[in-house]
Amino acid sequence: MSRKDFLRFVWIAVVAPFVFIWGMSVKRFRESDGKSELRISSMIPDGISFYDEVIISKRDGEVKAFSAHCTHLGCIINEIRDGEMVCPCHGSRFDTDGKPINGPAVERLRQLNINKENGEIVIAINGR
Amino acid sequence: MADNKFSIKSFFYDTYGAIASAAFMICAVSGIFLAIPYDITAPYESLGSLLILNPFAVFFRNTHYWSAQLFLIFTLLHIWDQLKQSGEKNVRSGVWFRLVISVLVVFFVMITGFILKADADAMQARLIMENLVRKVPLVGDLIAFSLLGTGKSLQLVYVHHIATATIFLVFIIIEHSRTIWGKRTTFLYTLLFVSVLSFFFQAPLHDSIGRVMKGPWYFVGLQEILHWLSSPGLSLIIIFGLLLILYLIPKISERKSQISKKIILYTFYLYIGLTIAGYFFRGENWEWRTPWDGKGTDYLENAFNPEPVLFGQNFAEISGKEIPTINGRKESCMLCHKNVSGFSPAHDPKAIGCVSCHGGDPFSSDKGRAHRRMIVIPGNLADAGRSCGTAQCHPVITERVDRTLMNSLSGMITVDRFVFGESDSLSILSGVHHLGNTAADEHLKNLCVICHLGNPKTETGRITELSRGGGCNACHLNYNEKAMLSHSLYQKNKGNSTVNQIVHPSLTLQVTNEHCFGCHSRSGRISTNYEGWHETQLTAENIAGKSGFRMLDDKRIFERASEDVHHKAGLDCIDCHNSYEVMGDGKLYAHEEQQVKIGCEDCHFEKLPATISYDRLDYESKKIVNLKGWNNNSRKFIKGKESGIALINTIVRGDSAVLVGKNSGKIHKLNPPGESCILGDAHSDVSCSACHTAWTPRCIGCHNVYEPDTEGYDMFANRFKKGTWVEYTGEYFAMQPTLGVFDNNTGKSVKPAVPGMILTIDKKSYGKEIDGKSFLFHRLFAPAEPHTTMKEGRNCKSCHNNPVAIGYGEGELIYEINNGKGHWKFSSKYKDNEYDGLPEDAWISFGFSNKEYDDNIFSHSTRDNFRPFTVEEQKKILTVGACLICHKENSKVMKESLKVDFREYLKRVKSGCILPEFK
């Protein structure tokens, strides 16, 4: 083994653990970050309502919650036009069931779990 | 060898790289000064405060921004210049590798600077960057988190922007150019140029209300590419592919190297094209537009923002705490308008600010700039989407209002096009926003369409008799006395810049009849009918000194007629017509009777209809109930039969109910239908309004001609123009209505009918003919709800022996008995029309043997499902009419006839009864 190859080997051997520790540090930090939830009054209007990272769709008494993050590149959807939810970043359109109507997004909006507690609707927002 | 050809480089005072370095130094130093007022825990707020109160910090911000843009531009020019000169051959392999990496770092430091604005565009850009980086296989998640952090905190972004990336770039600059200190003159010229830019052009900051999201200009091309890629990870392949090509250039043959450089250059040209397209030709909702289409260029102006820094302004007495923060955004409006009152609680600036309705620039305390692009009268439908209809306010309602008949005018347009021969359907959906230049559309624009809700309110002040359209304001804008006084003082002193309107009008649920009056005193005249006024063709001179007349603000003269009993009792329009009818329910309807869901039976019932309890109310109904203070968990409301929606101003008490005036609060007892209404099945198809309409306005003899030299008005474009359709009207009457039949799969219903379209049209005057005909004549009646309800119903003879009610028109309808045979005879008051031979005011001809009439029964009205009485129905009506010649209406014989099968009943008549023969 030449000196150059040996130094290259030592370089990788010393740096690699740091990369591993970096990855573990980030993983632990994210795990300890906790989960977030949204609590809103159960009195919500028919149609679509926007609550920052959550979209509530209420139709015929049925309530559904979706992540407001567009499935294309994660932008927050905050507009409804002609009954369709529109992402402002690249123009994806979704119907009120979260199904994509027009690209570039091709996946449905992620549906979130809803619980009802003491007259409130509680929605778990876990990542995107 | 000297290069004698023209070179862009010769314009500049030093090499591109040297200028880029100088710009980098200016950017770094100005960033240090900008960090003083910048607060990473509240970045958007701190920038807002800085813009409002600290012009010196603004100058540093602008310097930082423009020097950064110059740094990027000249770095790219430097790269291109070096590639042209094959400069990559003079660089060691390791250095070249780090230079290629530094291209990414340059864009990283630029985008992190964009993100640190923390406005709406920035936060979306952060999400895009995070999700794009996460698509890198294996380590994407780790890198995204390490670069951008988590949640909405910008701490990590800030650290990387001011430290990590900046330090890396300093090392790279020193490593490959051997110095970071360029020539003093280069630095001074660059500083001078940046200073001039910084003084005259403001760095952008989105107000978080404008609906167009744009990334930084250098990534707009990427935004365009991403719009077309369902798999955005492909864009990373393109980016890394280009970087790989760049890296390999010094390692491959000269020919391949030249091809690679051309690939990079042409990709760059394509990217420039995409950037121009994306920046100037994309608008809201990713729709194509042109910069000159007037649809709002706030993102273009915001990006460029040519206004000098105001060093001279004195802010010594203003504290940052006086500038309110609304929805995370500093707003400067209240610095000058702090004493304004009069708002409803939900629309108070403390809750929603001023900018969310009025637009303008929330980041300036200079009057001219703060009012730039301000919407003086928000609530017009053109602006409603960015004011009333934003995600935080009423997004769904503005969508519903867009689709309501009061905005589309569908029925009016469909019928007009039909009578002009431009359409053969009376059922299609039409819209006022799609009017063209045909004869019918021009006719509509000249005479009819001013009343669509999209017509903007252009002057401040309350809703009056002359108001037309006005979007949300048409119904919800209210000026109380103080607001009126304040407004008139303001109007009087308008030139005085120190005078402000102190009492602001309010936006409330108090929709009065005055709000409806302007538009609904036209067309069917239901507002004036309701109040008991019938329009005449008199003038002010004709009525001078006389009582029983009223002149509206538009100079039309009305004479006293009987008012609707509901008006007399004190009911307002909205006491019957709820929010889902007026603002629409989101569906498109072709005609009025489809959108209106309220029916007389909802309140005037024999047996209590279905009810809805408070806890089962829909959101909108419950919100209105709560706002009115009617919330009560034990309260029940009548459920509308057709709508299924609660009538929120009803209170169910046991087996009965009362109605509460929405504006007055007055309690009204709900009376059951009269005995004759429910006696037997004979009138089961007859609607309440058919009997209880006291009168309806009618007019005949209408002629339409186009006069090319007469000045007219385009009611859609709101401008005067030469050439107009003119309508010459005949006589106006007020009398009990003709009756017609709604007839469809669900059943029949007898309703009032009015001469909706008895008219002639001179199409030749407009230069158009149809099928060789230059002159059109129509006789079409329309279904109507005249809103002139009377307590007692019509008497029997007013229908059964009345030629107007049956459709023959005014005249003498006589039952003659000769030689034991009875025949009906009719002589019309009016002469026969030259075009169809019917009396001028008739709907149908008097006669009982025309089979073709029955075959074309639906061709006589403005609806596909509304018709006059069939021959058989006329015979039945007139048979009863014959009975009424001898028998009184309230006799036992007539009352009995209502309860039984009339055909069987006729078989039992006495021999002296002579029933009519119909020939």
Side-chain angles (χ1 to χ4, degrees):
Chain A
M1 190 187 275
S2 68
R3 185 164 169 267
K4 199 174 172 187
D5 289 337
F6 176 74
L7 283 171
R8 196 174 284 159
F9 172 75
V10 168
W11 171 247
I12 293 169
V14 168
V15 169
F18 279 97
V19 173
F20 174 75
I21 293 167
W22 169 33
M24 292 308 295
S25 159
V26 166
K27 184 169 176 280
R28 279 298 300 133
F29 179 77
R30 292 182 83 171
E31 281 167 359
S32 62
D33 205 15
K35 299 186 191 314
S36 60
E37 65 180 24
L38 173 72
R39 286 179 172 265
I40 54 174
S41 160
S42 55
M43 192 175 99
I44 45 179
D46 283 347
I48 296 291
S49 307
F50 296 98
Y51 294 88
D52 198 19
E53 292 192 72
V54 176
I55 296 174
I56 304 284
S57 170
K58 184 176 174 189
R59 219 168 37 167
D60 300 325
E62 192 190 356
V63 178
K64 290 182 188 174
F66 300 98
S67 167
H69 289 277
C70 177
T71 52
H72 179 234
L73 272 172
C75 283
I76 298 279
I77 299 167
N78 56 9
E79 185 157 335
I80 187 155
R81 191 164 167 118
D82 297 329
E84 296 171 356
M85 295 183 280
V86 185
C87 175
C89 291
H90 305 104
S92 301
R93 289 174 182 250
F94 300 84
D95 67 13
T96 51
D97 264 334
K99 192 177 149 198
I101 300 166
N102 213 26
V106 292
E107 290 175 25
R108 297 182 83 103
L109 294 177
R110 190 164 66 91
Q111 194 160 350
L112 304 172
N113 289 328
I114 290 180
N115 286 315
K116 290 185 182 168
E117 286 175 23
N118 302 323
E120 281 189 319
I121 291 176
V122 183
I123 299 139
I125 312 168
N126 297 323
R128 301 201 187 94
Chain B
M1 192 163 87
D3 186 358
N4 292 322
K5 288 185 186 169
F6 169 76
S7 165
I8 297 173
K9 257 167 74 171
S10 60
F11 273 108
F12 296 102
Y13 40 85
D14 205 333
T15 62
Y16 297 133
I19 297 172
S21 289
F24 178 79
M25 290 302 296
I26 296 166
C27 192
V29 172
S30 60
I32 295 168
F33 290 101
L34 185 58
I36 299 169
Y38 182 76
D39 180 358
I40 191 57
T41 59
Y44 189 46
E45 267 188 61
S46 64
L47 283 177
S49 287
L50 172 166
L51 285 170
I52 295 170
L53 285 182
N54 193 341
F56 306 98
V58 168
F59 182 75
F60 274 119
R61 180 171 179 255
N62 294 346
T63 304
H64 189 65
Y65 175 79
W66 287 113
S67 57
Q69 313 311 306
L70 276 178
F71 165 63
L72 176 65
I73 291 168
F74 279 93
T75 299
L76 295 174
L77 286 171
H78 172 62
I79 295 172
W80 166 69
D81 187 44
Q82 290 300 309
L83 287 175
K84 246 178 53 168
Q85 297 174 57
S86 299
E88 70 277 1
K89 292 177 182 163
N90 304 326
V91 176
R92 288 201 326 259
S93 174
V95 175
W96 182 249
F97 173 73
R98 285 185 287 281
L99 279 170
V100 170
I101 298 294
S102 73
V103 173
L104 275 179
V105 178
V106 164
F107 280 104
F108 176 72
V109 80
M110 294 296 294
I111 192 64
T112 48
F114 181 83
I115 291 171
L116 286 169
K117 289 190 289 132
D119 58 10
D121 293 355
M123 300 316 283
Q124 297 280 41
R126 187 227 175 112
L127 289 167
I128 292 171
M129 188 176 166
E130 181 180 344
N131 283 281
L132 207 48
V133 171
R134 287 169 93 189
K135 293 193 186 300
V136 172
L138 297 174
V139 293
D141 220 26
L142 178 65
I143 296 174
F145 187 81
S146 300
L147 287 179
L148 299 168
T150 185
K152 290 184 179 159
S153 167
L154 295 179
Q155 177 180 286
L156 210 47
V157 176
Y158 193 37
V159 167
H160 290 315
H161 179 74
I162 65 175
T164 320
T166 304
I167 293 169
F168 182 88
L169 287 174
V170 167
F171 282 142
I172 291 297
I173 292 171
I174 293 174
E175 188 185 41
H176 87 283
S177 67
R178 298 296 177 200
T179 181
I180 193 138
W181 308 112
K183 287 190 230 169
R184 207 177 305 176
T185 48
T186 303
F187 182 83
L188 283 172
Y189 289 150
T190 310
L191 180 61
L192 195 63
F193 181 60
V194 166
S195 300
V196 168
L197 277 179
S198 304
F199 180 75
F200 285 108
F201 300 101
Q202 309 293 313
L205 187 68
H206 195 175
D207 60 19
S208 296
I209 295 173
R211 298 162 91 182
V212 180
M213 292 287 169
K214 288 265 181 241
W217 62 270
Y218 42 88
F219 277 151
V220 167
L222 178 61
Q223 204 173 356
E224 277 292 315
I225 293 169
L226 289 170
H227 170 68
W228 297 106
L229 290 178
S230 291
S231 301
L234 289 174
S235 64
L236 292 177
I237 296 175
I238 298 170
I239 292 166
F240 284 107
L242 286 169
L243 287 174
L244 183 64
I245 292 172
L246 186 65
Y247 172 68
L248 290 174
I249 283 174
K251 298 181 188 304
I252 53 181
S253 68
E254 181 60 29
R255 187 173 156 274
K256 284 180 185 169
S257 170
Q258 290 303 320
I259 293 171
S260 301
K261 288 177 187 177
K262 282 205 169 89
I263 290 173
I264 292 173
L265 185 66
Y266 292 136
T267 306
F268 181 72
Y269 287 154
L270 176 65
Y271 190 78
I272 295 288
L274 287 171
T275 302
I276 292 170
Y279 212 89
F280 294 102
F281 298 95
R282 285 280 194 195
E284 282 183 29
N285 298 311
W286 217 257
E287 287 163 359
W288 290 111
R289 61 175 294 259
T290 54
W292 49 85
D293 63 12
K295 282 185 187 170
T297 54
D298 53 332
Y299 67 88
L300 286 174
E301 286 183 32
N302 197 33
F304 214 38
N305 216 338
E307 278 165 347
V309 178
L310 299 172
F311 288 118
Q313 274 196 295
N314 180 14
F315 301 101
E317 293 170 5
I318 303 171
S319 141
K321 289 179 189 162
E322 289 177 47
I323 311 171
T325 302
I326 312 288
N327 295 325
R329 177 184 62 247
K330 285 283 184 189
E331 278 195 23
S332 57
C333 317
M334 299 308 267
L335 286 177
C336 297
H337 297 283
K338 62 177 82 159
N339 293 324
V340 182
S341 64
F343 303 96
S344 55
H347 297 104
D348 195 298
K350 292 189 186 71
I352 62 170
C354 306
V355 170
S356 55
C357 293
H358 284 286
D361 185 350
F363 304 124
S364 177
S365 49
D366 172 72
K367 180 181 171 180
R369 289 188 196 179
H371 292 174
R372 193 166 46 102
R373 291 197 314 272
M374 183 175 145
I375 304 170
V376 176
I377 305 176
N380 287 317
L381 292 190
D383 303 315
R386 58 85 66 225
S387 53
C388 316
T390 55
Q392 299 91 343
C393 299
H394 307 285
V396 177
I397 290 181
T398 47
E399 285 262 304
R400 279 162 51 191
V401 171
D402 254 351
R403 298 164 84 83
T404 181
L405 272 175
M406 294 204 293
N407 189 38
S408 71
L409 305 185
S410 175
M412 182 194 294
I413 296 168
T414 296
V415 172
D416 206 66
R417 284 175 175 165
F418 178 86
V419 298
F420 268 77
E422 293 173 16
S423 164
D424 54 10
S425 172
L426 287 165
S427 309
I428 54 170
L429 293 168
S430 302
V432 71
H433 299 91
H434 303 292
L435 292 178
N437 296 106
T438 63
D441 288 3
E442 203 63 32
H443 183 254
L444 286 159
K445 285 190 281 188
N446 292 149
L447 296 172
C448 311
V449 298
I450 199 166
C451 273
H452 73 100
L453 274 184
N455 205 11
K457 188 179 195 300
T458 55
E459 292 187 9
T460 55
R462 66 184 185 90
I463 303 298
T464 66
E465 287 178 7
L466 296 175
S467 299
R468 303 286 187 267
C472 308
N473 293 318
C475 299
H476 290 288
L477 185 68
N478 280 296
Y479 277 74
N480 61 20
E481 275 181 34
K482 285 185 183 167
M484 284 297 305
L485 181 62
S486 180
H487 181 253
S488 59
L489 281 172
Y490 172 70
Q491 292 285 87
K492 214 168 141 189
N493 298 301
K494 215 167 184 176
N496 186 341
S497 64
T498 61
V499 173
N500 291 317
Q501 180 155 347
I502 302 299
V503 184
H504 195 282
S506 58
L507 288 168
T508 66
L509 293 173
Q510 197 181 4
V511 182
T512 66
N513 290 2
E514 281 68 42
H515 289 92
C516 313
F517 194 90
C519 282
H520 288 284
S521 65
R522 309 290 324 194
S523 193
R525 311 305 196 257
I526 52 176
S527 278
T528 42
N529 295 351
Y530 189 61
E531 294 182 14
W533 294 103
H534 170 245
E535 186 172 343
T536 69
Q537 291 168 308
L538 300 172
T539 63
E541 288 75 28
N542 298 143
I543 64 163
K546 294 180 184 171
S547 62
F549 292 94
R550 170 186 178 182
M551 186 167 77
L552 297 192
D553 289 348
D554 58 8
K555 312 294 182 223
R556 287 180 295 151
I557 306 294
F558 285 70
E559 65 180 350
R560 211 39 168 137
S562 62
E563 62 180 316
D564 191 298
V565 291
H566 301 97
H567 181 259
K568 197 170 176 184
L571 262 65
D572 288 334
C573 307
I574 61 166
D575 286 326
C576 294
H577 298 292
N578 64 22
S579 60
Y580 288 98
E581 282 187 13
V582 179
M583 295 195 296
D585 56 8
K587 296 182 187 139
L588 291 167
Y589 293 107
H591 292 289
E592 161 262 326
E593 62 272 6
Q594 296 162 356
Q595 181 163 322
V596 173
K597 307 280 193 233
I598 194 75
C600 308
E601 320 76 40
D602 287 326
C603 291
H604 299 289
F605 45 83
E606 228 187 317
K607 191 179 153 199
L608 184 70
T611 59
I612 299 179
S613 59
Y614 171 78
D615 60 342
R616 294 239 177 246
L617 287 175
D618 59 279
Y619 169 82
E620 186 161 296
S621 298
K622 196 179 254 185
K623 183 142 185 138
I624 296 172
V625 164
N626 290 348
L627 283 168
K628 289 202 170 285
W630 295 343
N631 34 315
N632 181 334
N633 285 335
S634 60
R635 185 163 162 175
K636 284 188 180 175
F637 308 86
I638 291 174
K639 183 178 177 182
K641 187 177 168 192
E642 198 179 327
S643 66
I645 303 282
L647 305 183
I648 58 159
N649 57 333
T650 57
I651 306 174
V652 173
R653 292 172 177 168
D655 288 333
S656 64
V658 295
L659 185 134
V660 183
K662 285 176 184 167
N663 292 324
S664 64
K666 190 176 166 192
I667 307 270
H668 303 273
K669 190 169 160 236
L670 296 179
N671 297 319
E675 189 195 346
S676 49
C677 302
I678 53 176
L679 190 62
D681 290 330
H683 292 133
S684 59
D685 289 340
V686 178
S687 68
C688 304
S689 55
C691 277
H692 285 275
T693 294
W695 58 274
T696 184
R698 291 160 60 94
C699 59
I700 57 171
C702 184
H703 176 61
N704 292 264
V705 63
Y706 187 77
E707 295 178 1
D709 296 321
T710 303
E711 191 184 53
Y713 192 75
D714 184 328
M715 292 179 176
F716 187 73
N718 284 306
R719 58 183 176 87
F720 288 96
K721 53 180 284 197
K722 194 172 168 198
T724 179
W725 279 98
V726 178
E727 196 170 70
Y728 293 96
T729 54
E731 296 179 62
Y732 292 1
F733 311 97
M735 57 174 54
Q736 283 187 315
T738 302
L739 299 175
V741 186
F742 265 116
D743 189 352
N744 50 37
N745 295 337
T746 55
K748 292 195 295 188
S749 177
V750 177
K751 291 266 191 184
V754 293
M757 289 281 192
I758 301 182
L759 76 171
T760 50
I761 302 170
D762 182 354
K763 276 199 92 166
K764 196 176 172 188
S765 63
Y766 193 70
K768 305 272 183 192
E769 291 185 4
I770 189 98
D771 296 332
K773 292 180 195 167
S774 64
F775 210 84
L776 299 173
F777 168 78
H778 287 283
R779 185 184 295 274
L780 302 172
F781 271 54
E785 291 290 352
H787 288 66
T788 57
T789 312
M790 56 185 178
K791 188 175 173 188
E792 299 293 330
R794 298 170 78 149
N795 61 40
C796 307
K797 282 187 174 177
S798 76
C799 289
H800 288 277
N801 300 60
N802 182 348
V804 173
I806 302 171
Y808 305 140
E810 280 192 86
E812 273 197 292
L813 184 65
I814 301 168
Y815 188 55
E816 281 185 0
I817 300 175
N818 289 315
N819 300 323
K821 292 190 183 184
H823 296 97
W824 281 100
K825 289 191 185 324
F826 173 66
S827 57
S828 159
K829 177 180 173 184
Y830 290 94
K831 66 177 177 41
D832 293 348
N833 183 286
E834 63 179 297
Y835 297 104
D836 65 355
L838 290 186
E840 286 289 352
D841 66 335
W843 190 6
I844 55 176
S845 62
F846 177 81
F848 310 101
S849 57
N850 187 350
K851 187 184 180 302
E852 202 184 311
Y853 167 78
D854 268 357
D855 288 344
N856 296 294
I857 192 85
F858 286 102
S859 64
H860 299 274
S861 86
T862 58
R863 304 289 194 271
D864 288 336
N865 59 350
F866 189 68
R867 57 170 178 77
F869 293 117
T870 61
V871 169
E872 204 51 45
E873 286 166 345
Q874 291 173 54
K875 288 178 183 176
K876 283 183 189 171
I877 293 167
L878 289 170
T879 300
V880 174
C883 301
L884 288 167
I885 300 291
C886 300
H887 298 284
K888 285 189 179 157
E889 297 180 0
N890 59 356
S891 63
K892 190 180 167 191
V893 165
M894 295 313 298
K895 280 188 180 176
E896 198 60 34
S897 70
L898 291 172
K899 299 181 206 172
V900 300
D901 183 314
F902 194 64
R903 252 185 281 247
E904 291 301 315
Y905 196 62
L906 288 178
K907 292 174 185 171
R908 293 191 268 134
V909 299
K910 289 184 179 164
S911 56
C913 289
I914 299 174
L915 297 175
E917 287 180 14
F918 297 99
K919 288 178 186 168

